[in-house]
Amino acid sequence: MSFPASLFAVRKLCLKIFNPKRAMGLASVWTGHTQGYQSATQSSKLCESCQEHRGRQKSNHRFKFIITTNAMFFGLFEPDKSDDETPDIIMTIKRSILMIQRGEYKKAEQMLHIALRQAQALQNHDAITYIYDVMANLAFDMGEYRKAEVLFVKVMQRLIANGTSQTDLKIIHMSLKMAKLFEHLGETEKAEDGYQFCLNHLQAKLDEKSEDEDVVVLWAMAADWYARLLLAQSKYEKALEYLQKAYKVCIDVNGEEHEQTVVLLNDLGTISFLKGDNEKAIDYFTLAAEIGDKLPDMEDLSSIHVNLGNVLMKKGLYDAAKKSCQRGWYLSKSRNNEESLVEANDCLDEIRKIAAA
């Protein structure tokens, strides 16, 4: 059993981890490329091989971390105004971040190494930790997962050695990244342990102070990511449970008319279809499409309409299926989305074949 091919294009919305509009927050919306977090030519072909899906996910969709303020939020590096040389480090870091924003990753990495040498020369512990954190996220973004692993571990070791508790929110935050990193590397057991570690400690924090939005959002992001791992393992019931919880928190935090709400509705529709509950899948996809149509910048909305069309086709509702796939085709064409256009054409071709039979 596997993911619908048309859902692959939509699921790449799901793992965008941070939203630049809330970059000063801990985790903003827990999206990602799927990212993860991810077209059927006919309703009976809504499932491709799961192995192929994961391969495409790995090769095409990398997680994006907004690293420009991540460590600053955690208070890892507070410039010492009495140190005349500290601004030089800050300027070097700012230049590296600008290069990252431009997609000049290799140049950014070189600049970060310069900043690291500056910080080490001054023996500025917090600046060194900050730079390692930025480097870890950059390595992840470049798909250099082993390098990212080493750097994340180094950051956590430095924090813990400096008195940070292993259950501190910033340690849990990096542990969540590590879990996703292990998932990318195919080390499923480590990934699952990591997600459960994060969820358990975040739940304990929620029990203590349930109104802490940073804790709530990070918990929901962890639940969302863990659900995707469970989905990849065909553990549909458990995945559905976690996604429903993430969906509820998403509405509480972001409201109904939000991209992440649409993403989660799409995933809930995916799982419902895979469980054989086509009625529920239609409900989820329909709501996702309705909300998505109100969001002009919603990525891959066309694929959600095609998803709905494919399930409607499976139910024998061909007129409704055609209308939904035509909507997906129009959106793909207007937004120059070639992948979604192929999906929509496949859906419409299948409907035409059925009509001609």
Side-chain angles (χ1 to χ4, degrees):
M1 190 66 69
S2 65
F3 299 108
S6 58
L7 296 179
F8 182 88
V10 179
R11 287 182 51 81
K12 66 185 177 184
L13 295 171
C14 305
L15 301 177
K16 292 175 183 172
I17 294 174
F18 298 106
N19 184 338
K21 294 179 181 178
R22 280 195 58 199
M24 287 303 293
L26 174 64
S28 67
V29 292
W30 52 98
T31 62
H33 299 298
T34 70
Q35 218 107 122
Y37 12 109
Q38 316 191 318
S39 69
T41 57
Q42 55 184 7
S43 54
S44 62
K45 289 180 65 181
L46 275 171
C47 295
E48 293 181 323
S49 89
C50 196
Q51 182 177 2
E52 178 183 352
H53 164 80
R54 288 195 294 268
R56 292 172 65 188
Q57 182 182 8
K58 282 185 179 182
S59 62
N60 296 332
H61 308 300
R62 292 173 179 168
F63 298 87
K64 304 290 183 182
F65 293 100
I66 297 300
I67 63 178
T68 56
T69 58
N70 182 35
M72 194 68 77
F73 172 83
F74 289 140
L76 300 183
F77 179 30
E78 296 179 359
D80 184 351
K81 294 181 181 179
S82 65
D83 187 347
D84 293 336
E85 296 185 69
T86 299
D88 292 336
I89 303 174
I90 297 173
M91 184 57 65
T92 307
I93 294 172
K94 285 182 176 180
R95 287 173 179 167
S96 68
I97 289 170
L98 182 60
M99 291 174 182
I100 292 169
Q101 292 171 339
R102 292 173 176 172
E104 299 173 352
Y105 295 154
K106 287 298 182 183
K107 289 182 180 179
E109 186 177 25
Q110 293 170 358
M111 188 65 67
L112 285 169
H113 280 289
I114 293 173
L116 182 60
R117 287 196 293 271
Q118 291 174 330
Q120 289 170 335
L122 294 174
Q123 297 184 352
N124 190 320
H125 181 277
D126 291 338
I128 294 169
T129 305
Y130 177 90
I131 294 164
Y132 277 136
D133 184 64
V134 177
M135 293 173 74
N137 283 285
L138 178 57
F140 199 122
D141 202 42
M142 295 171 66
E144 297 176 350
Y145 303 123
R146 287 301 180 197
K147 182 191 291 187
E149 178 187 0
V150 171
L151 288 166
F152 278 131
V153 169
K154 185 173 292 189
V155 173
M156 288 189 281
Q157 287 175 336
R158 291 177 66 84
L159 289 173
I160 291 170
N162 207 37
T164 302
S165 166
Q166 293 190 36
T167 60
D168 187 276
L169 202 60
K170 50 185 168 283
I171 297 295
I172 296 175
H173 183 208
M174 280 182 274
S175 297
L176 181 58
K177 295 177 185 178
M178 290 283 288
K180 180 55 68 178
L181 182 153
F182 288 131
E183 185 178 346
H184 265 296
L185 292 170
E187 298 178 12
T188 304
E189 187 174 345
K190 286 185 180 180
E192 189 156 1
D193 288 344
Y195 288 134
Q196 290 178 348
F197 168 85
C198 295
L199 286 165
N200 290 339
H201 287 293
L202 287 168
Q203 186 61 56
K205 291 180 180 295
L206 285 176
D207 294 340
E208 296 171 3
K209 46 180 181 179
S210 60
E211 294 184 359
D212 187 327
E213 184 174 313
D214 288 331
V215 174
V216 171
V217 172
L218 191 58
W219 181 93
M221 186 165 68
D224 183 13
W225 292 2
Y226 184 39
R228 300 184 196 292
L229 178 64
L230 294 169
L231 184 57
Q233 297 173 319
S234 301
K235 297 178 180 178
Y236 303 133
E237 290 292 346
K238 198 171 182 181
L240 184 63
E241 174 189 345
Y242 279 99
L243 272 181
Q244 285 173 333
K245 290 178 180 179
Y247 172 66
K248 182 180 182 302
V249 173
C250 185
I251 291 178
D252 290 342
V253 173
N254 299 315
E256 285 196 4
E257 294 186 10
H258 192 277
E259 284 194 13
Q260 183 62 17
T261 305
V262 176
V263 167
L264 289 168
L265 283 167
N266 177 73
D267 288 347
L268 287 166
T270 303
I271 296 177
S272 297
F273 171 80
L274 294 172
K275 288 173 74 273
D277 190 348
N278 293 324
E279 294 293 342
K280 200 66 178 177
I282 289 172
D283 289 343
Y284 283 130
F285 287 138
T286 298
L287 184 56
E290 289 174 354
I291 297 173
D293 282 336
K294 299 176 184 178
L295 304 173
D297 298 326
M298 182 75 206
E299 297 181 41
D300 290 317
L301 177 60
S302 54
S303 289
I304 295 177
H305 283 279
V306 175
N307 293 342
L308 175 59
N310 277 304
V311 182
L312 288 168
M313 184 164 41
K314 183 175 179 64
K315 289 282 293 180
L317 302 172
Y318 302 118
D319 289 341
K322 181 178 179 180
K323 183 178 179 180
S324 187
C325 289
Q326 284 176 333
R327 173 67 175 158
W329 186 93
Y330 171 79
L331 289 169
S332 301
K333 197 73 173 177
S334 63
R335 300 178 184 185
N336 296 317
N337 189 328
E338 292 297 328
E339 183 179 1
S340 295
L341 187 62
V342 171
E343 299 162 7
N345 280 325
D346 287 343
C347 178
L348 292 169
D349 286 345
E350 187 61 28
I351 293 172
R352 281 192 286 268
K353 290 177 184 178
I354 292 171

